[in-house]
Amino acid sequence: MRIDIITIFPDYFTPLDLSLIGKARRSGLIDVRLHDLRRWTYDRHHTVDDTPYGGGPGMVMKPEPWGEALDEITADADAGTPRLILPTPSGLPFTQQDAVRLAKEPWLIFACGRYEGIDARVAVDAAQRMPVEELSIGDYVLNGGEVATLVIVEAISRLLPGVLGNVESITQDSFAPGTMDNLVEGPVYTKPPVWRGHEVPPILLSGHHAAIDRWRRDEALRKTARNRPDLIRRLDPESLDKRDREV
Ligand SMILES: Nc1cc(-c2ccc3ccn(Cc4ccccc4)c3c2)n[nH]1
């Protein structure tokens, strides 16, 4: 997968050199390219923002640098058609299902806005040449799109074949399609069996794998009901067996 990130703060993305994503980049599994938006400004101050039409507080990002940046980056015709991702508080909620869907894309471009956002015409113009998605990572306001882009890139990259050593752990993720659809995962434990007087639930040391799987599903249902009753309401009753309904 190719990922282009356009930002006025490229240093925000040094975390993508670390850990599993860093390893995936070095092995060529993911091709991440950072672009400083100011490269497409030509005035002495490399201006990327201006006052909002209609008045109001703050500044808006000018359309010209974005248009030229996207033109140059997408001119790389042999890489296929990219999908443009625009993090914004007003976007569609980004979910695990979106991560699964976007992990299948060959090329993503992330436009990291700042100030009060990017001139709306940038998304309209880009949509004439590629699919554009405005995505929110949650109902809180950040100062720009960089942190949201890091979140989305990590959620997608960990699903790419070869990035995580243990594929199994993906299927047991919270919200993972299939067994964990709309459930959060339950508690996890490791050695020692007793720590500060706290015991690991004996079932997990029993070796009875069917019973262990049952216990884990019960705990996932309990934790989902406690922390995410909104997800319980979304559960397809067909996906619940008789035992589930007793939890
Ligand atoms: N889920 C999520 C995404 C963002 C986000 C993404 C990109 C930008 C670009 C500028 N801002 C600041 C901003 C403040 C207020 C109104 C609009 C924009 C951004 C915030 N916040 N929260």
Side-chain angles (χ1 to χ4, degrees), residues 61 86-90 111-118 135-146 148:
M61 297 194 95
L86 275 161
T88 169
S90 57
C112 300
R114 278 273 153 173
Y115 306 100
E116 299 304 309
I118 301 172
L135 295 178
S136 165
I137 61 163
D139 291 341
Y140 40 81
V141 181
L142 303 169
N143 284 333
E146 286 79 9

PDB file of all heavy atoms in Angstrom, residues 61 86-90 111-118 135-146 148, ligand 1:
ATOM      1  N   MET A  61      -7.539  27.335   5.528  1.00  0.00           N
ATOM      2  CA  MET A  61      -6.414  26.988   4.652  1.00  0.00           C
ATOM      3  C   MET A  61      -6.791  27.302   3.210  1.00  0.00           C
ATOM      4  O   MET A  61      -7.858  26.900   2.730  1.00  0.00           O
ATOM      5  CB  MET A  61      -6.024  25.514   4.798  1.00  0.00           C
ATOM      6  CG  MET A  61      -5.530  25.180   6.191  1.00  0.00           C
ATOM      7  SD  MET A  61      -4.702  23.565   6.255  1.00  0.00           S
ATOM      8  CE  MET A  61      -2.974  24.076   6.062  1.00  0.00           C
ATOM      9  N   LEU A  86      -9.822  12.903   4.208  1.00  0.00           N
ATOM     10  CA  LEU A  86      -9.770  14.224   4.831  1.00  0.00           C
ATOM     11  C   LEU A  86     -10.235  14.097   6.282  1.00  0.00           C
ATOM     12  O   LEU A  86     -11.452  14.053   6.532  1.00  0.00           O
ATOM     13  CB  LEU A  86     -10.701  15.168   4.085  1.00  0.00           C
ATOM     14  CG  LEU A  86     -10.163  15.869   2.854  1.00  0.00           C
ATOM     15  CD1 LEU A  86     -11.290  16.368   1.997  1.00  0.00           C
ATOM     16  CD2 LEU A  86      -9.255  17.003   3.255  1.00  0.00           C
ATOM     17  N   PRO A  87      -9.355  13.975   7.265  1.00  0.00           N
ATOM     18  CA  PRO A  87      -9.814  13.985   8.660  1.00  0.00           C
ATOM     19  C   PRO A  87     -10.464  15.326   8.993  1.00  0.00           C
ATOM     20  O   PRO A  87      -9.929  16.382   8.628  1.00  0.00           O
ATOM     21  CB  PRO A  87      -8.526  13.794   9.457  1.00  0.00           C
ATOM     22  CG  PRO A  87      -7.557  13.182   8.494  1.00  0.00           C
ATOM     23  CD  PRO A  87      -7.904  13.784   7.163  1.00  0.00           C
ATOM     24  N   THR A  88     -11.600  15.286   9.665  1.00  0.00           N
ATOM     25  CA  THR A  88     -12.315  16.505  10.062  1.00  0.00           C
ATOM     26  C   THR A  88     -13.314  16.153  11.156  1.00  0.00           C
ATOM     27  O   THR A  88     -13.832  15.047  11.189  1.00  0.00           O
ATOM     28  CB  THR A  88     -13.068  17.128   8.859  1.00  0.00           C
ATOM     29  OG1 THR A  88     -13.950  18.152   9.330  1.00  0.00           O
ATOM     30  CG2 THR A  88     -13.885  16.094   8.104  1.00  0.00           C
ATOM     31  N   PRO A  89     -13.578  17.125  12.087  1.00  0.00           N
ATOM     32  CA  PRO A  89     -14.550  16.818  13.149  1.00  0.00           C
ATOM     33  C   PRO A  89     -15.940  16.543  12.579  1.00  0.00           C
ATOM     34  O   PRO A  89     -16.765  15.897  13.185  1.00  0.00           O
ATOM     35  CB  PRO A  89     -14.569  18.091  14.010  1.00  0.00           C
ATOM     36  CG  PRO A  89     -13.412  18.899  13.598  1.00  0.00           C
ATOM     37  CD  PRO A  89     -13.047  18.493  12.222  1.00  0.00           C
ATOM     38  N   SER A  90     -16.179  17.075  11.357  1.00  0.00           N
ATOM     39  CA  SER A  90     -17.531  16.960  10.774  1.00  0.00           C
ATOM     40  C   SER A  90     -17.651  15.757   9.836  1.00  0.00           C
ATOM     41  O   SER A  90     -18.623  15.640   9.096  1.00  0.00           O
ATOM     42  CB  SER A  90     -17.845  18.243   9.990  1.00  0.00           C
ATOM     43  OG  SER A  90     -16.840  18.436   8.995  1.00  0.00           O
ATOM     44  N   ALA A 111      -5.003  14.303   3.704  1.00  0.00           N
ATOM     45  CA  ALA A 111      -4.838  15.759   3.695  1.00  0.00           C
ATOM     46  C   ALA A 111      -5.034  16.243   5.127  1.00  0.00           C
ATOM     47  O   ALA A 111      -6.148  16.197   5.657  1.00  0.00           O
ATOM     48  CB  ALA A 111      -5.862  16.401   2.769  1.00  0.00           C
ATOM     49  N   CYS A 112      -3.948  16.668   5.761  1.00  0.00           N
ATOM     50  CA  CYS A 112      -4.027  17.110   7.163  1.00  0.00           C
ATOM     51  C   CYS A 112      -4.266  18.616   7.214  1.00  0.00           C
ATOM     52  O   CYS A 112      -3.364  19.404   6.934  1.00  0.00           O
ATOM     53  CB  CYS A 112      -2.723  16.786   7.885  1.00  0.00           C
ATOM     54  SG  CYS A 112      -2.352  15.034   7.900  1.00  0.00           S
ATOM     55  N   GLY A 113      -5.495  18.964   7.597  1.00  0.00           N
ATOM     56  CA  GLY A 113      -5.836  20.382   7.722  1.00  0.00           C
ATOM     57  C   GLY A 113      -5.345  20.943   9.047  1.00  0.00           C
ATOM     58  O   GLY A 113      -4.938  20.199   9.944  1.00  0.00           O
ATOM     59  N   ARG A 114      -5.343  22.259   9.137  1.00  0.00           N
ATOM     60  CA  ARG A 114      -5.057  22.983  10.385  1.00  0.00           C
ATOM     61  C   ARG A 114      -6.003  24.168  10.438  1.00  0.00           C
ATOM     62  O   ARG A 114      -6.907  24.277   9.605  1.00  0.00           O
ATOM     63  CB  ARG A 114      -3.590  23.436  10.423  1.00  0.00           C
ATOM     64  CG  ARG A 114      -2.635  22.317  10.868  1.00  0.00           C
ATOM     65  CD  ARG A 114      -2.505  22.271  12.373  1.00  0.00           C
ATOM     66  NE  ARG A 114      -2.171  20.944  12.862  1.00  0.00           N
ATOM     67  CZ  ARG A 114      -1.881  20.706  14.148  1.00  0.00           C
ATOM     68  NH1 ARG A 114      -1.838  21.722  15.002  1.00  0.00           N
ATOM     69  NH2 ARG A 114      -1.663  19.477  14.551  1.00  0.00           N
ATOM     70  N   TYR A 115      -5.797  25.053  11.435  1.00  0.00           N
ATOM     71  CA  TYR A 115      -6.641  26.262  11.563  1.00  0.00           C
ATOM     72  C   TYR A 115      -8.112  25.825  11.704  1.00  0.00           C
ATOM     73  O   TYR A 115      -8.403  24.888  12.455  1.00  0.00           O
ATOM     74  CB  TYR A 115      -6.442  27.191  10.344  1.00  0.00           C
ATOM     75  CG  TYR A 115      -4.999  27.534  10.103  1.00  0.00           C
ATOM     76  CD1 TYR A 115      -4.264  26.867   9.112  1.00  0.00           C
ATOM     77  CD2 TYR A 115      -4.344  28.491  10.891  1.00  0.00           C
ATOM     78  CE1 TYR A 115      -2.923  27.167   8.892  1.00  0.00           C
ATOM     79  CE2 TYR A 115      -3.008  28.796  10.679  1.00  0.00           C
ATOM     80  CZ  TYR A 115      -2.301  28.122   9.680  1.00  0.00           C
ATOM     81  OH  TYR A 115      -0.970  28.415   9.483  1.00  0.00           O
ATOM     82  N   GLU A 116      -9.031  26.462  10.994  1.00  0.00           N
ATOM     83  CA  GLU A 116     -10.460  26.091  11.078  1.00  0.00           C
ATOM     84  C   GLU A 116     -10.821  25.090   9.988  1.00  0.00           C
ATOM     85  O   GLU A 116     -11.993  24.774   9.792  1.00  0.00           O
ATOM     86  CB  GLU A 116     -11.322  27.346  10.923  1.00  0.00           C
ATOM     87  CG  GLU A 116     -11.100  28.398  11.988  1.00  0.00           C
ATOM     88  CD  GLU A 116     -11.307  27.847  13.403  1.00  0.00           C
ATOM     89  OE1 GLU A 116     -12.354  27.223  13.656  1.00  0.00           O
ATOM     90  OE2 GLU A 116     -10.400  28.022  14.228  1.00  0.00           O
ATOM     91  N   GLY A 117      -9.819  24.597   9.287  1.00  0.00           N
ATOM     92  CA  GLY A 117     -10.096  23.630   8.229  1.00  0.00           C
ATOM     93  C   GLY A 117      -9.582  24.107   6.875  1.00  0.00           C
ATOM     94  O   GLY A 117      -8.993  25.183   6.755  1.00  0.00           O
ATOM     95  N   ILE A 118      -9.848  23.290   5.867  1.00  0.00           N
ATOM     96  CA  ILE A 118      -9.382  23.537   4.489  1.00  0.00           C
ATOM     97  C   ILE A 118     -10.560  24.115   3.687  1.00  0.00           C
ATOM     98  O   ILE A 118     -11.701  23.655   3.853  1.00  0.00           O
ATOM     99  CB  ILE A 118      -8.909  22.211   3.841  1.00  0.00           C
ATOM    100  CG1 ILE A 118      -7.763  21.586   4.660  1.00  0.00           C
ATOM    101  CG2 ILE A 118      -8.470  22.436   2.394  1.00  0.00           C
ATOM    102  CD1 ILE A 118      -7.369  20.179   4.212  1.00  0.00           C
ATOM    103  N   LEU A 135     -13.483  11.970   7.237  1.00  0.00           N
ATOM    104  CA  LEU A 135     -13.616  11.034   8.358  1.00  0.00           C
ATOM    105  C   LEU A 135     -13.308  11.704   9.697  1.00  0.00           C
ATOM    106  O   LEU A 135     -12.389  12.512   9.806  1.00  0.00           O
ATOM    107  CB  LEU A 135     -12.662   9.848   8.171  1.00  0.00           C
ATOM    108  CG  LEU A 135     -12.933   8.939   6.966  1.00  0.00           C
ATOM    109  CD1 LEU A 135     -11.867   7.839   6.884  1.00  0.00           C
ATOM    110  CD2 LEU A 135     -14.327   8.320   7.041  1.00  0.00           C
ATOM    111  N   SER A 136     -14.125  11.373  10.699  1.00  0.00           N
ATOM    112  CA  SER A 136     -13.890  11.841  12.065  1.00  0.00           C
ATOM    113  C   SER A 136     -13.434  10.649  12.903  1.00  0.00           C
ATOM    114  O   SER A 136     -13.978   9.557  12.760  1.00  0.00           O
ATOM    115  CB  SER A 136     -15.196  12.392  12.661  1.00  0.00           C
ATOM    116  OG  SER A 136     -15.060  12.511  14.078  1.00  0.00           O
ATOM    117  N   ILE A 137     -12.443  10.869  13.793  1.00  0.00           N
ATOM    118  CA  ILE A 137     -12.019   9.757  14.654  1.00  0.00           C
ATOM    119  C   ILE A 137     -12.713   9.810  16.003  1.00  0.00           C
ATOM    120  O   ILE A 137     -12.468   8.987  16.867  1.00  0.00           O
ATOM    121  CB  ILE A 137     -10.483   9.710  14.861  1.00  0.00           C
ATOM    122  CG1 ILE A 137      -9.956  10.959  15.533  1.00  0.00           C
ATOM    123  CG2 ILE A 137      -9.779   9.430  13.545  1.00  0.00           C
ATOM    124  CD1 ILE A 137      -8.546  10.767  16.107  1.00  0.00           C
ATOM    125  N   GLY A 138     -13.606  10.795  16.210  1.00  0.00           N
ATOM    126  CA  GLY A 138     -14.334  10.847  17.474  1.00  0.00           C
ATOM    127  C   GLY A 138     -14.951  12.211  17.689  1.00  0.00           C
ATOM    128  O   GLY A 138     -14.539  13.183  17.060  1.00  0.00           O
ATOM    129  N   ASP A 139     -15.874  12.240  18.637  1.00  0.00           N
ATOM    130  CA  ASP A 139     -16.616  13.495  18.857  1.00  0.00           C
ATOM    131  C   ASP A 139     -15.876  14.389  19.844  1.00  0.00           C
ATOM    132  O   ASP A 139     -16.330  14.610  20.969  1.00  0.00           O
ATOM    133  CB  ASP A 139     -18.035  13.174  19.358  1.00  0.00           C
ATOM    134  CG  ASP A 139     -18.836  12.523  18.241  1.00  0.00           C
ATOM    135  OD1 ASP A 139     -18.435  12.673  17.062  1.00  0.00           O
ATOM    136  OD2 ASP A 139     -19.840  11.842  18.552  1.00  0.00           O
ATOM    137  N   TYR A 140     -14.710  14.859  19.439  1.00  0.00           N
ATOM    138  CA  TYR A 140     -13.910  15.815  20.208  1.00  0.00           C
ATOM    139  C   TYR A 140     -13.100  16.582  19.157  1.00  0.00           C
ATOM    140  O   TYR A 140     -12.927  16.107  18.024  1.00  0.00           O
ATOM    141  CB  TYR A 140     -12.978  15.106  21.200  1.00  0.00           C
ATOM    142  CG  TYR A 140     -12.363  13.868  20.622  1.00  0.00           C
ATOM    143  CD1 TYR A 140     -11.256  13.943  19.781  1.00  0.00           C
ATOM    144  CD2 TYR A 140     -12.929  12.609  20.855  1.00  0.00           C
ATOM    145  CE1 TYR A 140     -10.717  12.810  19.216  1.00  0.00           C
ATOM    146  CE2 TYR A 140     -12.383  11.469  20.283  1.00  0.00           C
ATOM    147  CZ  TYR A 140     -11.288  11.567  19.471  1.00  0.00           C
ATOM    148  OH  TYR A 140     -10.757  10.450  18.896  1.00  0.00           O
ATOM    149  N   VAL A 141     -12.624  17.739  19.501  1.00  0.00           N
ATOM    150  CA  VAL A 141     -11.970  18.588  18.495  1.00  0.00           C
ATOM    151  C   VAL A 141     -10.450  18.630  18.716  1.00  0.00           C
ATOM    152  O   VAL A 141      -9.985  18.943  19.808  1.00  0.00           O
ATOM    153  CB  VAL A 141     -12.526  20.027  18.534  1.00  0.00           C
ATOM    154  CG1 VAL A 141     -11.858  20.888  17.468  1.00  0.00           C
ATOM    155  CG2 VAL A 141     -14.038  20.004  18.323  1.00  0.00           C
ATOM    156  N   LEU A 142      -9.711  18.237  17.701  1.00  0.00           N
ATOM    157  CA  LEU A 142      -8.242  18.331  17.729  1.00  0.00           C
ATOM    158  C   LEU A 142      -7.836  19.655  17.090  1.00  0.00           C
ATOM    159  O   LEU A 142      -8.676  20.383  16.571  1.00  0.00           O
ATOM    160  CB  LEU A 142      -7.654  17.149  16.947  1.00  0.00           C
ATOM    161  CG  LEU A 142      -8.083  15.757  17.457  1.00  0.00           C
ATOM    162  CD1 LEU A 142      -7.683  14.675  16.455  1.00  0.00           C
ATOM    163  CD2 LEU A 142      -7.465  15.464  18.812  1.00  0.00           C
ATOM    164  N   ASN A 143      -6.545  19.949  17.051  1.00  0.00           N
ATOM    165  CA  ASN A 143      -6.075  21.200  16.437  1.00  0.00           C
ATOM    166  C   ASN A 143      -5.783  21.041  14.953  1.00  0.00           C
ATOM    167  O   ASN A 143      -5.507  22.010  14.252  1.00  0.00           O
ATOM    168  CB  ASN A 143      -4.809  21.701  17.144  1.00  0.00           C
ATOM    169  CG  ASN A 143      -5.152  22.320  18.490  1.00  0.00           C
ATOM    170  OD1 ASN A 143      -6.263  22.815  18.678  1.00  0.00           O
ATOM    171  ND2 ASN A 143      -4.222  22.249  19.409  1.00  0.00           N
ATOM    172  N   GLY A 144      -5.799  19.786  14.498  1.00  0.00           N
ATOM    173  CA  GLY A 144      -5.482  19.562  13.084  1.00  0.00           C
ATOM    174  C   GLY A 144      -5.660  18.098  12.741  1.00  0.00           C
ATOM    175  O   GLY A 144      -6.008  17.287  13.596  1.00  0.00           O
ATOM    176  N   GLY A 145      -5.397  17.748  11.508  1.00  0.00           N
ATOM    177  CA  GLY A 145      -5.653  16.392  11.018  1.00  0.00           C
ATOM    178  C   GLY A 145      -4.532  15.398  11.256  1.00  0.00           C
ATOM    179  O   GLY A 145      -4.693  14.204  11.017  1.00  0.00           O
ATOM    180  N   GLU A 146      -3.371  15.872  11.765  1.00  0.00           N
ATOM    181  CA  GLU A 146      -2.209  14.968  11.864  1.00  0.00           C
ATOM    182  C   GLU A 146      -2.448  13.802  12.829  1.00  0.00           C
ATOM    183  O   GLU A 146      -2.193  12.640  12.472  1.00  0.00           O
ATOM    184  CB  GLU A 146      -0.975  15.758  12.314  1.00  0.00           C
ATOM    185  CG  GLU A 146      -0.366  16.652  11.228  1.00  0.00           C
ATOM    186  CD  GLU A 146      -1.107  17.961  11.011  1.00  0.00           C
ATOM    187  OE1 GLU A 146      -2.002  18.278  11.815  1.00  0.00           O
ATOM    188  OE2 GLU A 146      -0.800  18.644  10.021  1.00  0.00           O
ATOM    189  N   ALA A 148      -5.267  12.591  13.893  1.00  0.00           N
ATOM    190  CA  ALA A 148      -6.324  11.735  13.316  1.00  0.00           C
ATOM    191  C   ALA A 148      -5.732  10.849  12.215  1.00  0.00           C
ATOM    192  O   ALA A 148      -6.044   9.661  12.113  1.00  0.00           O
ATOM    193  CB  ALA A 148      -7.452  12.598  12.771  1.00  0.00           C
TER     194      ALA A 148
HETATM  195  N1  LIG B   1     -12.202  13.676  15.011  1.00  0.00           N
HETATM  196  C1  LIG B   1     -11.578  14.917  14.864  1.00  0.00           C
HETATM  197  C2  LIG B   1     -10.914  15.409  13.725  1.00  0.00           C
HETATM  198  C3  LIG B   1     -10.480  16.664  14.049  1.00  0.00           C
HETATM  199  C4  LIG B   1      -9.793  17.625  13.149  1.00  0.00           C
HETATM  200  C5  LIG B   1      -9.288  17.187  11.911  1.00  0.00           C
HETATM  201  C6  LIG B   1      -8.724  18.093  11.041  1.00  0.00           C
HETATM  202  C7  LIG B   1      -8.652  19.452  11.394  1.00  0.00           C
HETATM  203  C8  LIG B   1      -8.185  20.604  10.740  1.00  0.00           C
HETATM  204  C9  LIG B   1      -8.375  21.687  11.606  1.00  0.00           C
HETATM  205  N2  LIG B   1      -8.950  21.223  12.750  1.00  0.00           N
HETATM  206  C10 LIG B   1      -9.327  22.071  13.873  1.00  0.00           C
HETATM  207  C11 LIG B   1     -10.790  22.427  13.805  1.00  0.00           C
HETATM  208  C12 LIG B   1     -11.368  22.980  14.911  1.00  0.00           C
HETATM  209  C13 LIG B   1     -12.722  23.329  14.879  1.00  0.00           C
HETATM  210  C14 LIG B   1     -13.480  23.128  13.743  1.00  0.00           C
HETATM  211  C15 LIG B   1     -12.906  22.563  12.640  1.00  0.00           C
HETATM  212  C16 LIG B   1     -11.534  22.210  12.664  1.00  0.00           C
HETATM  213  C17 LIG B   1      -9.132  19.860  12.661  1.00  0.00           C
HETATM  214  C18 LIG B   1      -9.699  18.955  13.542  1.00  0.00           C
HETATM  215  N3  LIG B   1     -10.836  16.951  15.302  1.00  0.00           N
HETATM  216  N4  LIG B   1     -11.506  15.868  15.795  1.00  0.00           N
END
